[in-house]
Amino acid sequence: MLCRSLRPYFSARSTQFQHPFRARPNAATTFSKRCYTSGTRDRTTVGVFTPKAAALFVATGIGLFYYFRHEKQKLLEQRQKELESRSVGRAHVGGPFTLTTHEGKPFSEKDLLGKWNFVYFGFTNCPDICPAELDKMGAVLTSLEKEYGTIFQPIFISVDPARDSISQMKTYLADFHPRIIGLTGDYATVKSACKAYRVYFSTPPDADPKGDYLVDHSIYVYLMDPNGQFVEAFGQSSSSDEVVERVKKELAEFEKETGRKV
């Protein structure tokens, strides 16, 4: 230390003499001592932000900038991959078909475009399952249309062309939601539509129109987007509320990707 004193020449028992070089502190010494201490503190404080520290600070800032930009780019790339996987990972359901509505009008896969479609395959002589599924479809439509309007198109395709004539379909659908479109045709066209949607049905090609028989078939309501692409299949275990929530989610994703609802 600058003002460090020397040890006395005499032993501890000698108290009559002081160190020959030890001077009594005076104002100048005290002032010098204080100035020295204060200067040390100032240099210590200022020395924290040295040119080296400033360079390190700038380098860190630049590094953080590029890091966050890199992370943002990774998130964008991940989002793009998710969108691609949604498209590539979809089941290949749907395809060309030409049938006739219960109003006697032609209807093909092109008529699905521009609407969210619910497509169900069944038959009018079905005792319980088909009526229950069509009722559920109607409840889903009623709920969704309150929020989105008529951007949905419900379709009922017969898997029993021998008995489900145009007039029979019209009479049958009068008991369900008024916007459900019934589709039927000959055996070949119905079989083609079922194949496109991967629907199993057991109706024989030579079935008797007056016969009393049941038809075994797949029980799903297919959701198709406005581009005619398959989105989801809802089975019997899906409640109407569950279907509504899922449709809302898919519609929101579609709008986020395309900027439109249909």
Side-chain angles (χ1 to χ4, degrees):
M1 190 172 177
L2 183 63
C3 299
R4 185 179 179 183
S5 61
L6 300 176
R7 294 181 181 278
Y9 288 120
F10 301 101
S11 64
R13 289 177 297 179
S14 177
T15 59
Q16 298 180 358
F17 299 95
Q18 294 183 357
H19 195 290
F21 300 108
R22 178 178 294 167
R24 295 181 65 185
N26 52 41
T29 305
T30 303
F31 176 76
S32 175
K33 191 172 182 180
R34 287 174 180 171
C35 289
Y36 175 79
T37 305
S38 177
T40 303
R41 289 175 181 171
D42 291 344
R43 283 195 297 274
T44 302
T45 302
V46 175
V48 172
F49 202 74
T50 62
K52 182 177 180 180
L56 181 61
F57 177 78
V58 173
T60 302
I62 294 174
L64 287 173
F65 169 77
Y66 281 104
Y67 170 76
F68 287 116
R69 191 171 75 169
H70 175 68
E71 289 299 307
K72 181 180 179 181
Q73 184 62 32
K74 282 175 63 178
L75 289 174
L76 292 175
E77 291 176 358
Q78 182 179 356
R79 177 62 180 163
Q80 182 61 33
K81 288 180 180 179
E82 289 176 355
L83 296 181
E84 292 174 356
S85 66
R86 280 172 59 83
S87 176
V88 175
R90 286 175 173 172
H92 186 64
V93 174
F97 67 87
T98 301
L99 296 169
T100 304
T101 72
H102 66 279
E103 298 288 348
K105 301 176 182 178
F107 192 102
S108 73
E109 77 283 353
K110 295 179 181 178
D111 293 294
L112 301 178
L113 303 178
K115 295 277 189 179
W116 287 87
N117 295 273
F118 294 100
V119 183
Y120 178 71
F121 291 77
F123 63 110
T124 62
N125 283 280
C126 180
D128 47 19
I129 294 177
C130 293
E133 291 301 292
L134 290 175
D135 281 336
K136 182 167 68 177
M137 183 188 290
V140 169
L141 285 167
T142 300
S143 178
L144 289 171
E145 287 178 347
K146 291 178 181 179
E147 183 173 349
Y148 300 102
T150 56
I151 64 173
F152 304 95
Q153 182 170 242
I155 297 170
F156 172 61
I157 300 179
S158 172
V159 294
D160 186 14
R163 294 181 296 185
D164 288 345
S165 62
I166 293 175
S167 60
Q168 170 63 19
M169 292 283 282
K170 186 173 183 177
T171 301
Y172 179 75
L173 291 176
D175 292 330
F176 300 100
H177 193 286
R179 293 210 307 111
I180 295 179
I181 300 173
L183 300 181
T184 189
D186 58 29
Y187 186 87
T189 55
V190 167
K191 182 179 179 180
S192 177
C194 288
K195 183 177 180 181
Y197 281 82
R198 299 186 177 185
V199 170
Y200 163 77
F201 73 109
S202 64
T203 310
D206 56 350
D208 182 3
K210 297 180 181 180
D212 184 16
Y213 57 88
L214 294 178
V215 179
D216 189 19
H217 62 92
S218 303
I219 307 169
Y220 288 102
V221 175
Y222 297 96
L223 176 65
M224 311 295 286
D225 71 19
N227 295 326
Q229 299 296 312
F230 169 77
V231 177
E232 184 58 277
F234 301 105
Q236 283 182 276
S237 61
S238 300
S239 68
S240 58
D241 290 338
E242 290 172 339
V243 174
V244 167
E245 290 305 312
R246 181 56 185 271
V247 172
K248 287 182 177 180
K249 179 181 177 182
E250 293 296 339
L251 200 151
E253 288 291 332
F254 183 86
E255 186 175 10
K256 185 185 298 183
E257 295 171 16
T258 64
R260 55 190 174 86
K261 286 185 174 65
V262 293

